[in-house]
Amino acid sequence: MNRKLNQLLDGQTPAGPSFTEKQGQYLAFIWAYMQINRQPPAKRDMQRYFGVTPPSVHQMVLTLERSGLIRRQPGVARSIQLLVDHDILPKLQPVQPVITSVQSY
């Protein structure tokens, strides 16, 4: 607290939480989902939106939690809480469809 106050008095902006571009997109998705549905997303919702596997979503959730960006209650579904101000989140980008050489019929 004192460090942030000193930075403000010195005219410096305190550094906020840092996250990668991909982490930012997951955080932005969680925030947008909560605004629309009034509840946090399930891992399956993130899997569907980002077009990734269940282990990929699980690892991202663990990474976000270890980084102090989200909080969850063990054993409770849809318990993700954002620990960052939504004003610092990036704009949620639409996911590009995966291009494949396999034809569907």
Side-chain angles (χ1 to χ4, degrees):
M1 172 84 173
N2 286 338
R3 189 172 134 224
K4 287 184 181 182
L5 182 59
N6 288 338
Q7 288 174 336
L8 288 172
L9 293 174
D10 291 340
Q12 299 175 8
T13 304
S18 62
F19 43 81
T20 67
E21 185 177 330
K22 184 187 284 189
Q23 291 169 346
Q25 286 301 295
Y26 274 81
L27 294 168
F29 175 80
I30 293 166
W31 183 80
Y33 188 96
M34 290 170 55
Q35 297 307 300
I36 294 167
N37 297 292
R38 304 260 188 243
Q39 66 178 350
K43 287 181 183 176
R44 178 78 177 121
D45 298 317
M46 290 183 267
Q47 180 189 341
R48 223 176 287 125
Y49 182 81
F50 290 104
V52 296
T53 63
S56 295
V57 170
H58 180 71
Q59 284 304 309
M60 179 58 75
V61 168
L62 291 177
T63 299
L64 295 173
E65 189 171 33
R66 276 192 302 261
S67 300
L69 301 168
I70 65 168
R71 180 183 315 143
R72 298 181 304 148
Q73 293 179 334
V76 178
R78 297 182 183 267
S79 65
I80 294 174
Q81 296 175 327
L82 279 180
L83 299 178
V84 295
D85 187 347
H86 72 274
D87 289 332
I88 67 166
L89 298 178
K91 180 178 176 187
L92 182 61
Q93 300 298 316
V95 176
Q96 300 298 320
V98 176
I99 298 173
T100 179
S101 60
V102 178
Q103 295 180 355
S104 60
Y105 297 95

XYZ file of all heavy atoms in Angstrom:
844
model
N 0.834 -1.191 0.000
C 0.000 0.000 0.000
C 0.874 1.248 0.000
O 0.656 2.148 -0.788
C -0.939 -0.036 1.211
C -1.720 1.222 1.417
S -3.189 1.227 0.416
C -3.979 2.666 1.000
N 1.866 1.305 0.913
C 2.738 2.476 0.979
C 3.524 2.657 -0.304
O 3.751 3.781 -0.740
C 3.697 2.373 2.167
C 2.993 2.612 3.486
O 1.932 3.230 3.517
N 3.563 2.108 4.562
N 3.942 1.537 -0.929
C 4.692 1.631 -2.175
C 3.845 2.269 -3.266
O 4.302 3.147 -3.986
C 5.156 0.234 -2.592
C 6.123 0.259 -3.741
C 6.697 -1.138 -3.973
N 6.636 -1.358 -5.388
C 6.242 -2.453 -5.975
N 5.887 -3.478 -5.270
N 6.229 -2.555 -7.267
N 2.590 1.852 -3.372
C 1.700 2.425 -4.378
C 1.442 3.900 -4.098
O 1.422 4.717 -5.005
C 0.378 1.654 -4.438
C 0.514 0.313 -5.091
C -0.837 -0.356 -5.221
C -0.684 -1.723 -5.871
N -1.947 -2.384 -6.059
N 1.259 4.249 -2.833
C 1.037 5.637 -2.462
C 2.256 6.478 -2.812
O 2.136 7.561 -3.377
C 0.722 5.751 -0.970
C 0.416 7.151 -0.441
C -0.778 7.750 -1.175
C 0.145 7.100 1.046
N 3.456 5.959 -2.511
C 4.674 6.681 -2.855
C 4.822 6.850 -4.361
O 5.256 7.899 -4.837
C 5.911 5.960 -2.294
C 6.010 6.097 -0.792
O 5.443 7.020 -0.215
N 6.709 5.171 -0.151
N 4.461 5.830 -5.135
C 4.533 5.925 -6.593
C 3.586 6.994 -7.102
O 3.924 7.766 -7.999
C 4.203 4.579 -7.238
C 5.294 3.546 -7.069
C 4.874 2.186 -7.593
O 3.681 1.885 -7.677
N 5.848 1.367 -7.936
N 2.397 7.054 -6.530
C 1.433 8.073 -6.943
C 1.940 9.476 -6.606
O 1.822 10.409 -7.396
C 0.069 7.833 -6.292
C -0.719 6.646 -6.815
C -1.955 6.408 -5.963
C -1.115 6.850 -8.262
N 2.518 9.628 -5.419
C 3.048 10.928 -5.012
C 4.242 11.333 -5.869
O 4.468 12.515 -6.123
C 3.440 10.907 -3.532
C 2.280 10.770 -2.548
C 2.798 10.602 -1.129
C 1.351 11.969 -2.640
N 5.015 10.364 -6.335
C 6.166 10.645 -7.188
C 5.764 10.821 -8.646
O 6.610 11.041 -9.502
C 7.187 9.502 -7.101
C 7.864 9.438 -5.745
O 7.838 10.451 -5.018
O 8.414 8.373 -5.421
N 4.477 10.698 -8.941
C 4.010 10.863 -10.314
C 4.130 9.611 -11.150
O 3.948 9.642 -12.359
N 4.429 8.488 -10.534
C 4.529 7.230 -11.259
C 3.212 6.484 -11.138
O 2.535 6.560 -10.126
C 5.642 6.363 -10.687
C 7.012 6.979 -10.769
C 8.029 6.102 -10.057
O 7.730 4.990 -9.635
N 9.239 6.614 -9.918
N 2.884 5.756 -12.182
C 1.686 4.932 -12.156
C 2.054 3.570 -11.586
O 3.011 2.965 -12.056
C 1.115 4.748 -13.579
O 0.891 6.037 -14.136
C -0.173 3.962 -13.564
N 1.338 3.097 -10.570
C 1.664 1.780 -10.034
C 1.411 0.694 -11.077
O 0.455 0.777 -11.844
C 0.740 1.626 -8.830
C -0.332 2.628 -9.007
C 0.219 3.714 -9.888
N 2.287 -0.271 -11.096
C 2.137 -1.366 -12.048
C 0.989 -2.270 -11.606
O 0.898 -2.634 -10.450
C 3.430 -2.164 -12.130
N 0.128 -2.596 -12.546
C -0.970 -3.500 -12.249
C -0.524 -4.927 -12.471
O 0.636 -5.187 -12.783
N -1.441 -5.853 -12.332
C -1.093 -7.247 -12.555
C -0.681 -7.447 -14.012
O -1.208 -6.790 -14.908
C -2.375 -8.007 -12.232
C -3.454 -7.010 -12.136
C -2.824 -5.668 -11.985
N 0.265 -8.321 -14.230
C 0.691 -8.578 -15.599
C 0.200 -9.946 -16.039
O 0.105 -10.872 -15.233
C 2.213 -8.483 -15.709
O 2.824 -9.460 -14.899
N -0.109 -10.051 -17.313
C -0.559 -11.304 -17.884
C -0.242 -11.298 -19.368
O -0.065 -10.243 -19.974
C -2.061 -11.544 -17.650
C -2.929 -10.338 -17.860
C -3.333 -9.950 -19.131
C -3.364 -9.583 -16.779
C -4.146 -8.850 -19.316
C -4.168 -8.481 -16.952
C -4.566 -8.106 -18.232
N -0.143 -12.486 -19.941
C 0.154 -12.622 -21.363
C -1.091 -12.274 -22.180
O -2.194 -12.148 -21.636
C 0.590 -14.051 -21.705
O -0.525 -14.939 -21.515
C 1.779 -14.491 -20.862
N -0.891 -12.174 -23.472
C -2.029 -11.877 -24.363
C -3.096 -12.968 -24.262
O -4.284 -12.680 -24.162
C -1.524 -11.756 -25.803
C -2.586 -11.336 -26.786
C -2.022 -11.154 -28.192
O -0.848 -10.791 -28.328
O -2.786 -11.384 -29.146
N -2.658 -14.218 -24.257
C -3.609 -15.332 -24.173
C -4.332 -15.322 -22.826
O -5.543 -15.517 -22.763
C -2.890 -16.665 -24.370
C -3.850 -17.856 -24.400
C -3.136 -19.183 -24.413
C -2.576 -19.475 -25.773
N -2.068 -20.866 -25.871
N -3.585 -15.096 -21.747
C -4.206 -15.019 -20.432
C -5.215 -13.881 -20.394
O -6.302 -14.019 -19.823
C -3.147 -14.830 -19.349
C -2.272 -16.030 -19.131
C -1.079 -15.737 -18.251
O -0.737 -14.583 -17.997
N -0.411 -16.779 -17.802
N -4.883 -12.760 -21.005
C -5.791 -11.624 -21.071
C -7.085 -11.971 -21.781
O -8.167 -11.532 -21.379
N -6.997 -12.782 -22.833
C -8.199 -13.187 -23.552
C -9.075 -14.094 -22.686
O -10.288 -13.959 -22.691
C -7.826 -13.889 -24.870
C -7.341 -12.926 -25.923
C -8.382 -11.880 -26.258
O -9.449 -12.187 -26.790
N -8.095 -10.627 -25.924
N -8.466 -14.983 -21.945
C -9.246 -15.828 -21.027
C -9.910 -14.978 -19.946
O -11.088 -15.164 -19.624
C -8.378 -16.915 -20.395
C -8.266 -18.164 -21.244
C -7.371 -18.230 -22.302
C -9.056 -19.272 -20.989
C -7.270 -19.370 -23.078
C -8.969 -20.420 -21.758
C -8.070 -20.456 -22.806
O -7.985 -21.595 -23.577
N -9.168 -14.029 -19.393
C -9.740 -13.144 -18.367
C -10.878 -12.306 -18.947
O -11.922 -12.135 -18.311
C -8.650 -12.239 -17.789
C -7.555 -12.951 -16.990
C -6.399 -12.002 -16.722
C -8.100 -13.534 -15.700
N -10.686 -11.800 -20.164
C -11.733 -11.006 -20.816
C -12.967 -11.868 -21.088
O -14.105 -11.413 -20.929
C -11.205 -10.399 -22.125
N -12.745 -13.124 -21.478
C -13.877 -14.027 -21.708
C -14.642 -14.272 -20.416
O -15.872 -14.232 -20.395
C -13.399 -15.366 -22.287
C -14.508 -16.365 -22.420
C -15.388 -16.313 -23.498
C -14.708 -17.349 -21.464
C -16.439 -17.225 -23.611
C -15.746 -18.261 -21.565
C -16.612 -18.191 -22.648
N -13.909 -14.531 -19.335
C -14.560 -14.773 -18.040
C -15.410 -13.572 -17.645
O -16.564 -13.714 -17.252
C -13.506 -15.092 -16.952
C -12.838 -16.438 -17.249
C -14.137 -15.086 -15.557
C -11.565 -16.697 -16.445
N -14.855 -12.364 -17.793
C -15.596 -11.160 -17.418
C -16.838 -10.984 -18.307
O -17.941 -10.739 -17.809
C -14.701 -9.918 -17.515
C -15.412 -8.694 -17.060
C -15.615 -8.295 -15.770
C -16.062 -7.719 -17.872
N -16.344 -7.131 -15.739
C -16.634 -6.767 -17.021
C -16.213 -7.569 -19.248
C -17.337 -5.665 -17.494
C -16.920 -6.484 -19.726
C -17.469 -5.543 -18.840
N -16.668 -11.135 -19.636
C -17.802 -10.965 -20.553
C -18.883 -12.013 -20.284
O -20.081 -11.695 -20.272
C -17.316 -11.060 -22.002
N -18.463 -13.252 -20.060
C -19.414 -14.325 -19.788
C -20.231 -14.007 -18.533
O -21.452 -14.194 -18.506
C -18.664 -15.655 -19.612
C -19.575 -16.855 -19.526
C -19.844 -17.615 -20.651
C -20.176 -17.226 -18.325
C -20.685 -18.720 -20.588
C -21.011 -18.318 -18.251
C -21.267 -19.061 -19.381
O -22.111 -20.145 -19.322
N -19.545 -13.508 -17.505
C -20.238 -13.178 -16.260
C -21.214 -12.022 -16.446
O -22.266 -11.993 -15.801
C -19.216 -12.866 -15.160
C -18.456 -14.100 -14.709
S -17.034 -13.799 -13.633
C -17.743 -12.871 -12.311
N -20.890 -11.080 -17.321
C -21.802 -9.962 -17.575
C -23.074 -10.435 -18.267
O -24.160 -9.951 -17.971
C -21.109 -8.896 -18.448
C -19.910 -8.252 -17.793
C -20.223 -7.705 -16.418
O -21.067 -6.846 -16.263
N -19.556 -8.240 -15.403
N -22.930 -11.383 -19.162
C -24.073 -11.868 -19.942
C -24.905 -12.886 -19.162
O -26.131 -12.829 -19.165
C -23.590 -12.487 -21.269
C -22.974 -11.396 -22.143
C -24.719 -13.206 -21.995
C -22.197 -11.921 -23.327
N -24.233 -13.816 -18.495
C -24.922 -14.950 -17.873
C -25.094 -14.850 -16.362
O -25.686 -15.738 -15.761
C -24.166 -16.242 -18.209
C -24.160 -16.502 -19.693
O -25.190 -16.781 -20.281
N -22.995 -16.372 -20.312
N -24.555 -13.819 -15.759
C -24.677 -13.591 -14.310
C -24.095 -14.725 -13.467
O -24.506 -14.936 -12.322
C -26.125 -13.357 -13.908
C -26.790 -12.222 -14.639
C -26.802 -10.999 -13.772
N -27.610 -9.955 -14.390
C -27.095 -8.805 -14.779
N -25.823 -8.557 -14.618
N -27.849 -7.892 -15.329
N -23.182 -15.491 -14.069
C -22.462 -16.539 -13.361
C -21.156 -16.783 -14.101
O -21.064 -16.509 -15.291
C -23.283 -17.826 -13.273
C -23.535 -18.492 -14.611
C -24.316 -19.774 -14.453
O -24.512 -20.271 -13.352
N -24.779 -20.330 -15.555
N -20.148 -17.295 -13.415
C -18.879 -17.570 -14.083
C -19.030 -18.705 -15.103
O -19.928 -19.541 -14.981
C -17.952 -18.000 -12.944
C -18.606 -17.547 -11.695
C -20.075 -17.535 -11.977
N -18.140 -18.743 -16.081
C -18.219 -19.829 -17.060
C -17.710 -21.136 -16.475
O -16.902 -21.158 -15.544
C -17.272 -19.355 -18.171
C -16.272 -18.491 -17.468
C -17.054 -17.804 -16.372
N -18.196 -22.227 -17.027
C -17.643 -23.547 -16.730
C -16.431 -23.738 -17.641
O -16.282 -23.051 -18.657
C -18.684 -24.631 -17.003
N -15.571 -24.660 -17.286
C -14.412 -24.937 -18.145
C -14.870 -25.322 -19.546
O -14.234 -24.975 -20.535
C -13.551 -26.047 -17.542
C -12.765 -25.606 -16.335
C -11.910 -26.749 -15.817
C -11.163 -26.351 -14.569
N -10.392 -27.478 -14.006
N -15.980 -26.025 -19.633
C -16.525 -26.440 -20.943
C -16.882 -25.227 -21.794
O -16.693 -25.241 -23.008
C -17.760 -27.328 -20.729
C -18.432 -27.774 -21.989
C -17.658 -28.914 -22.641
N -18.378 -29.360 -23.823
C -17.861 -29.341 -25.046
N -16.642 -28.944 -25.253
N -18.573 -29.753 -26.068
N -17.382 -24.149 -21.183
C -17.703 -22.923 -21.926
C -16.437 -22.319 -22.533
O -16.442 -21.872 -23.682
C -18.371 -21.893 -21.010
C -19.691 -22.383 -20.443
O -20.482 -22.982 -21.205
O -19.932 -22.171 -19.238
N -15.345 -22.311 -21.759
C -14.076 -21.779 -22.264
C -13.520 -22.682 -23.365
O -13.010 -22.200 -24.381
C -13.066 -21.628 -21.128
C -13.431 -20.515 -20.166
S -12.205 -20.284 -18.871
C -12.898 -21.321 -17.601
N -13.655 -23.979 -23.176
C -13.192 -24.938 -24.180
C -13.912 -24.705 -25.512
O -13.290 -24.652 -26.572
C -13.446 -26.358 -23.689
C -13.009 -27.425 -24.662
C -13.466 -28.814 -24.238
O -13.807 -29.044 -23.082
N -13.478 -29.733 -25.163
N -15.212 -24.528 -25.446
C -16.016 -24.305 -26.642
C -15.638 -22.995 -27.324
O -15.473 -22.950 -28.540
C -17.501 -24.282 -26.261
C -18.381 -25.044 -27.211
C -19.844 -25.094 -26.765
N -20.029 -25.988 -25.629
C -20.595 -25.649 -24.478
N -21.069 -24.446 -24.289
N -20.715 -26.516 -23.506
N -15.499 -21.922 -26.554
C -15.212 -20.614 -27.138
C -13.831 -20.581 -27.787
O -13.684 -20.100 -28.907
C -15.304 -19.511 -26.076
C -15.059 -18.146 -26.673
C -16.078 -17.473 -27.348
C -13.809 -17.544 -26.604
C -15.847 -16.245 -27.928
C -13.575 -16.311 -27.179
C -14.605 -15.660 -27.841
O -14.372 -14.444 -28.422
N -12.823 -21.079 -27.084
C -11.454 -20.992 -27.587
C -11.082 -22.151 -28.508
O -10.030 -22.115 -29.144
C -10.459 -20.902 -26.427
C -10.541 -19.588 -25.704
C -11.165 -19.491 -24.470
C -10.025 -18.430 -26.264
C -11.242 -18.272 -23.801
C -10.109 -17.212 -25.611
C -10.717 -17.134 -24.377
N -11.936 -23.168 -28.582
C -11.663 -24.299 -29.467
C -10.441 -25.091 -29.052
O -9.636 -25.492 -29.897
N -10.302 -25.303 -27.748
C -9.147 -26.025 -27.224
C -9.615 -27.256 -26.453
O -10.804 -27.437 -26.217
C -8.273 -25.115 -26.318
C -7.681 -23.969 -27.128
C -9.075 -24.575 -25.149
N -8.656 -28.057 -26.046
C -8.969 -29.299 -25.334
C -9.219 -29.028 -23.848
O -8.765 -28.008 -23.317
C -7.799 -30.295 -25.462
O -6.644 -29.720 -24.827
C -7.507 -30.615 -26.923
N -9.902 -29.951 -23.173
C -10.107 -29.785 -21.733
C -8.801 -29.608 -20.945
O -8.746 -28.746 -20.068
C -10.859 -31.060 -21.323
C -11.593 -31.462 -22.559
C -10.665 -31.108 -23.694
N -7.733 -30.372 -21.253
C -6.494 -30.146 -20.497
C -5.907 -28.740 -20.712
O -5.325 -28.168 -19.784
C -5.528 -31.217 -21.034
C -6.415 -32.292 -21.569
C -7.618 -31.572 -22.102
N -6.084 -28.175 -21.903
C -5.583 -26.818 -22.171
C -6.303 -25.796 -21.293
O -5.673 -24.904 -20.721
C -5.773 -26.450 -23.642
O -4.984 -27.269 -24.460
N -7.612 -25.918 -21.196
C -8.386 -24.998 -20.356
C -8.002 -25.190 -18.893
O -7.800 -24.214 -18.167
C -9.902 -25.200 -20.554
C -10.699 -24.430 -19.502
C -10.319 -24.770 -21.944
N -7.867 -26.433 -18.483
C -7.520 -26.710 -17.086
C -6.174 -26.081 -16.732
O -6.045 -25.439 -15.681
C -7.492 -28.220 -16.845
C -7.156 -28.597 -15.437
N -8.031 -28.389 -14.391
C -6.028 -29.129 -14.898
C -7.466 -28.797 -13.266
N -6.245 -29.243 -13.546
N -5.192 -26.239 -17.611
C -3.874 -25.657 -17.352
C -3.942 -24.136 -17.300
O -3.275 -23.506 -16.468
C -2.860 -26.110 -18.413
C -2.382 -27.526 -18.217
C -1.777 -27.741 -16.837
O -0.921 -27.002 -16.383
N -2.241 -28.790 -16.160
N -4.740 -23.521 -18.173
C -4.870 -22.061 -18.158
C -5.517 -21.598 -16.855
O -5.071 -20.613 -16.249
C -5.693 -21.574 -19.355
C -5.885 -20.075 -19.381
S -4.346 -19.102 -19.399
C -3.843 -19.333 -21.096
N -6.547 -22.288 -16.415
C -7.207 -21.925 -15.160
C -6.218 -22.031 -13.997
O -6.155 -21.142 -13.143
C -8.476 -22.791 -14.929
C -9.011 -22.631 -13.520
C -9.546 -22.429 -15.955
N -5.436 -23.102 -13.971
C -4.428 -23.249 -12.921
C -3.395 -22.126 -12.982
O -2.998 -21.578 -11.953
C -3.728 -24.608 -13.034
C -4.568 -25.842 -12.714
C -3.744 -27.112 -12.938
C -5.112 -25.793 -11.301
N -2.974 -21.774 -14.183
C -1.990 -20.693 -14.359
C -2.552 -19.361 -13.886
O -1.876 -18.602 -13.185
C -1.567 -20.594 -15.841
O -0.956 -21.829 -16.217
C -0.597 -19.449 -16.065
N -3.794 -19.061 -14.257
C -4.432 -17.810 -13.836
C -4.568 -17.767 -12.315
O -4.366 -16.719 -11.693
C -5.802 -17.654 -14.498
C -5.802 -17.493 -16.015
C -7.225 -17.520 -16.556
C -5.084 -16.222 -16.435
N -4.885 -18.910 -11.732
C -5.041 -18.974 -10.278
C -3.690 -18.797 -9.575
O -3.571 -18.022 -8.622
C -5.682 -20.310 -9.891
C -6.093 -20.394 -8.445
C -6.909 -21.639 -8.163
O -6.672 -22.696 -8.798
O -7.788 -21.560 -7.298
N -2.668 -19.497 -10.057
C -1.326 -19.371 -9.461
C -0.779 -17.952 -9.588
O -0.033 -17.493 -8.733
C -0.351 -20.344 -10.129
C -0.388 -21.738 -9.568
C 0.782 -22.557 -10.061
N 0.819 -22.645 -11.506
C 0.380 -23.667 -12.226
N -0.113 -24.716 -11.628
N 0.448 -23.653 -13.538
N -1.167 -17.261 -10.661
C -0.702 -15.893 -10.892
C -1.479 -14.860 -10.080
O -1.188 -13.670 -10.148
C -0.818 -15.546 -12.381
O -0.030 -16.423 -13.152
N -2.500 -15.307 -9.358
C -3.290 -14.394 -8.540
C -4.270 -13.554 -9.332
O -4.716 -12.505 -8.870
N -4.637 -14.030 -10.530
C -5.564 -13.284 -11.383
C -7.012 -13.717 -11.177
O -7.934 -12.950 -11.439
C -5.157 -13.445 -12.849
C -3.741 -12.954 -13.172
C -3.319 -13.410 -14.562
C -3.669 -11.439 -13.054
N -7.188 -14.957 -10.733
C -8.527 -15.480 -10.417
C -8.439 -16.257 -9.109
O -7.361 -16.607 -8.649
C -9.098 -16.403 -11.528
C -8.244 -17.675 -11.670
C -9.269 -15.668 -12.836
C -8.878 -18.756 -12.532
N -9.609 -16.532 -8.545
C -9.730 -17.376 -7.355
C -10.841 -18.374 -7.639
O -11.833 -18.043 -8.293
C -10.093 -16.526 -6.145
C -10.246 -17.320 -4.874
C -10.669 -16.482 -3.686
N -9.894 -15.237 -3.619
C -10.388 -14.065 -3.231
N -11.654 -13.960 -2.886
N -9.641 -12.994 -3.188
N -10.678 -19.601 -7.145
C -11.719 -20.633 -7.263
C -11.922 -21.305 -5.934
O -11.042 -21.285 -5.081
C -11.310 -21.731 -8.258
C -11.105 -21.294 -9.657
C -10.733 -22.460 -10.559
N -9.546 -23.152 -10.066
C -9.306 -24.448 -10.207
N -10.161 -25.223 -10.815
N -8.205 -24.997 -9.731
N -13.088 -21.912 -5.766
C -13.351 -22.731 -4.585
C -13.226 -24.184 -5.024
O -13.960 -24.630 -5.912
C -14.749 -22.469 -4.037
C -14.925 -21.087 -3.463
C -16.339 -20.881 -2.950
O -17.281 -21.510 -3.407
N -16.474 -19.984 -1.998
N -12.293 -24.928 -4.428
C -12.113 -26.327 -4.815
C -13.406 -27.127 -4.682
O -14.126 -27.001 -3.699
C -11.058 -26.833 -3.826
C -10.363 -25.613 -3.339
C -11.384 -24.517 -3.371
N -13.690 -27.910 -5.714
C -14.858 -28.780 -5.685
C -16.176 -28.088 -5.979
O -17.217 -28.724 -5.953
N -16.145 -26.776 -6.254
C -17.375 -26.033 -6.539
C -17.365 -25.609 -8.009
O -16.459 -24.897 -8.451
C -17.511 -24.787 -5.627
C -18.775 -24.012 -5.970
C -17.489 -25.190 -4.169
N -18.362 -26.058 -8.755
C -18.460 -25.701 -10.170
C -18.752 -24.212 -10.321
O -19.398 -23.601 -9.471
C -19.563 -26.514 -10.836
N -18.252 -23.634 -11.396
C -18.503 -22.224 -11.732
C -18.172 -21.288 -10.570
O -18.936 -20.379 -10.240
C -19.947 -22.017 -12.175
C -20.295 -22.766 -13.443
C -21.720 -22.484 -13.870
N -22.105 -23.231 -15.027
C -22.008 -22.806 -16.283
N -21.522 -21.619 -16.533
N -22.390 -23.559 -17.287
N -17.027 -21.510 -9.952
C -16.665 -20.690 -8.791
C -15.557 -19.684 -9.091
O -14.986 -19.104 -8.177
C -16.242 -21.593 -7.628
O -15.059 -22.297 -7.953
N -15.248 -19.450 -10.360
C -14.166 -18.529 -10.711
C -14.547 -17.097 -10.332
O -15.643 -16.633 -10.651
C -13.850 -18.595 -12.222
C -13.272 -19.958 -12.581
C -12.890 -17.484 -12.628
C -13.057 -20.159 -14.061
N -13.630 -16.430 -9.656
C -13.793 -15.008 -9.325
C -12.603 -14.264 -9.924
O -11.457 -14.670 -9.720
C -13.785 -14.781 -7.820
C -14.921 -15.405 -7.083
C -14.757 -15.212 -5.574
O -13.659 -15.186 -5.048
N -15.881 -15.069 -4.889
N -12.873 -13.196 -10.658
C -11.792 -12.360 -11.186
C -11.198 -11.539 -10.050
O -11.936 -10.964 -9.247
C -12.321 -11.395 -12.250
C -12.507 -11.939 -13.649
C -13.045 -10.847 -14.563
C -11.230 -12.507 -14.215
N -9.886 -11.464 -10.005
C -9.213 -10.675 -8.981
C -8.541 -9.442 -9.589
O -7.765 -8.784 -8.907
C -8.170 -11.537 -8.251
C -8.728 -12.756 -7.521
C -7.612 -13.548 -6.874
C -9.772 -12.349 -6.487
N -8.862 -9.156 -10.847
C -8.312 -7.976 -11.511
C -9.461 -7.079 -11.944
O -10.567 -7.545 -12.210
C -7.449 -8.344 -12.739
C -6.209 -9.112 -12.325
C -8.231 -9.141 -13.759
N -9.195 -5.810 -12.012
C -10.200 -4.844 -12.445
C -10.474 -5.039 -13.933
O -9.541 -5.113 -14.737
C -9.676 -3.432 -12.183
C -10.713 -2.357 -12.432
O -11.769 -2.658 -13.037
O -10.470 -1.216 -12.019
N -11.735 -5.126 -14.301
C -12.072 -5.369 -15.713
C -11.606 -4.229 -16.618
O -11.466 -4.421 -17.822
C -13.574 -5.626 -15.879
C -14.419 -4.418 -15.708
N -14.863 -4.001 -14.473
C -14.901 -3.525 -16.605
C -15.581 -2.906 -14.622
N -15.617 -2.599 -15.902
N -11.335 -3.060 -16.064
C -10.876 -1.930 -16.879
C -9.487 -2.152 -17.473
O -9.131 -1.498 -18.451
C -10.873 -0.636 -16.062
C -12.280 -0.148 -15.764
O -13.197 -0.432 -16.567
O -12.470 0.502 -14.724
N -8.703 -3.043 -16.885
C -7.365 -3.286 -17.429
C -7.338 -4.474 -18.385
O -6.298 -4.776 -18.971
C -6.314 -3.499 -16.315
C -6.571 -4.790 -15.553
C -6.250 -2.309 -15.381
C -5.413 -5.224 -14.689
N -8.474 -5.152 -18.556
C -8.519 -6.309 -19.444
C -8.537 -5.877 -20.904
O -9.105 -4.839 -21.248
C -9.761 -7.150 -19.145
C -9.841 -7.761 -17.745
C -11.149 -8.519 -17.583
C -8.648 -8.651 -17.476
N -7.936 -6.684 -21.770
C -7.985 -6.360 -23.196
C -9.380 -6.611 -23.755
O -10.204 -7.288 -23.125
C -6.975 -7.331 -23.811
C -6.969 -8.502 -22.891
C -7.207 -7.921 -21.515
N -9.626 -6.087 -24.918
C -10.885 -6.339 -25.613
C -10.903 -7.807 -26.040
O -9.906 -8.323 -26.554
C -10.987 -5.431 -26.841
C -12.245 -5.600 -27.624
C -12.282 -4.644 -28.788
C -13.515 -4.906 -29.631
N -13.500 -4.110 -30.860
N -12.014 -8.477 -25.805
C -12.145 -9.880 -26.188
C -12.178 -9.974 -27.707
O -13.015 -9.350 -28.362
C -13.409 -10.488 -25.578
C -13.656 -11.970 -25.841
C -12.521 -12.828 -25.265
C -14.992 -12.400 -25.251
N -11.247 -10.726 -28.249
C -11.150 -10.885 -29.697
C -11.927 -12.114 -30.147
O -11.930 -13.131 -29.449
C -9.680 -11.046 -30.112
C -8.814 -9.868 -29.750
C -9.245 -8.584 -30.437
O -9.536 -8.579 -31.627
N -9.322 -7.505 -29.681
N -12.572 -12.032 -31.308
C -13.241 -13.231 -31.823
C -12.198 -14.297 -32.143
O -11.093 -13.979 -32.568
C -13.946 -12.745 -33.085
C -13.362 -11.427 -33.406
C -12.689 -10.894 -32.182
N -12.551 -15.530 -31.909
C -11.635 -16.631 -32.175
C -11.703 -16.960 -33.649
O -12.783 -17.073 -34.230
C -11.999 -17.859 -31.311
C -11.125 -19.042 -31.649
C -11.894 -17.511 -29.846
N -10.522 -17.109 -34.255
C -10.450 -17.457 -35.675
C -10.735 -18.949 -35.837
O -10.215 -19.770 -35.065
C -9.059 -17.139 -36.224
C -8.679 -15.680 -36.115
C -9.611 -14.780 -36.907
O -10.021 -15.111 -38.010
N -9.957 -13.652 -36.338
N -11.541 -19.311 -36.830
C -11.799 -20.731 -37.045
C -10.511 -21.452 -37.444
O -9.648 -20.877 -38.101
C -12.819 -20.753 -38.188
C -12.727 -19.419 -38.826
C -12.212 -18.462 -37.793
N -10.404 -22.704 -37.035
C -9.243 -23.515 -37.368
C -9.376 -23.967 -38.808
O -10.410 -24.511 -39.219
C -9.136 -24.727 -36.430
C -7.982 -25.618 -36.837
C -8.996 -24.263 -34.997
N -8.337 -23.744 -39.598
C -8.339 -24.174 -40.998
C -7.706 -25.554 -41.049
O -6.619 -25.778 -40.524
C -7.566 -23.176 -41.879
C -8.243 -21.812 -41.825
C -7.469 -23.698 -43.316
C -7.486 -20.712 -42.507
N -8.391 -26.467 -41.678
C -7.919 -27.836 -41.759
C -7.979 -28.326 -43.195
O -8.740 -27.817 -44.006
C -8.743 -28.757 -40.835
O -8.264 -30.089 -40.972
C -10.218 -28.722 -41.190
N -7.165 -29.304 -43.490
C -7.183 -29.875 -44.830
C -8.191 -31.017 -44.933
O -8.422 -31.549 -46.002
C -5.782 -30.386 -45.211
O -5.375 -31.377 -44.298
N -8.792 -31.378 -43.815
C -9.786 -32.446 -43.803
C -11.125 -31.873 -44.228
O -11.575 -30.869 -43.705
C -9.906 -33.064 -42.385
C -10.982 -34.139 -42.367
C -8.571 -33.606 -41.927
N -11.731 -32.524 -45.215
C -13.026 -32.058 -45.690
C -14.142 -32.714 -44.886
O -14.067 -33.894 -44.563
C -13.216 -32.400 -47.169
C -12.247 -31.669 -48.072
C -12.474 -32.026 -49.537
O -13.283 -32.889 -49.860
N -11.756 -31.347 -50.400
N -15.136 -31.931 -44.578
C -16.304 -32.492 -43.896
C -17.418 -32.664 -44.918
O -17.553 -31.892 -45.858
C -16.748 -31.605 -42.752
O -17.087 -30.329 -43.249
N -18.187 -33.691 -44.736
C -19.271 -33.976 -45.694
C -20.609 -33.806 -45.065
O -20.876 -33.918 -43.984
C -19.121 -35.407 -46.223
C -17.821 -35.595 -46.990
C -16.704 -36.087 -46.359
C -17.765 -35.271 -48.328
C -15.519 -36.268 -47.045
C -16.574 -35.457 -49.027
C -15.467 -35.952 -48.389
O -14.316 -36.120 -49.080
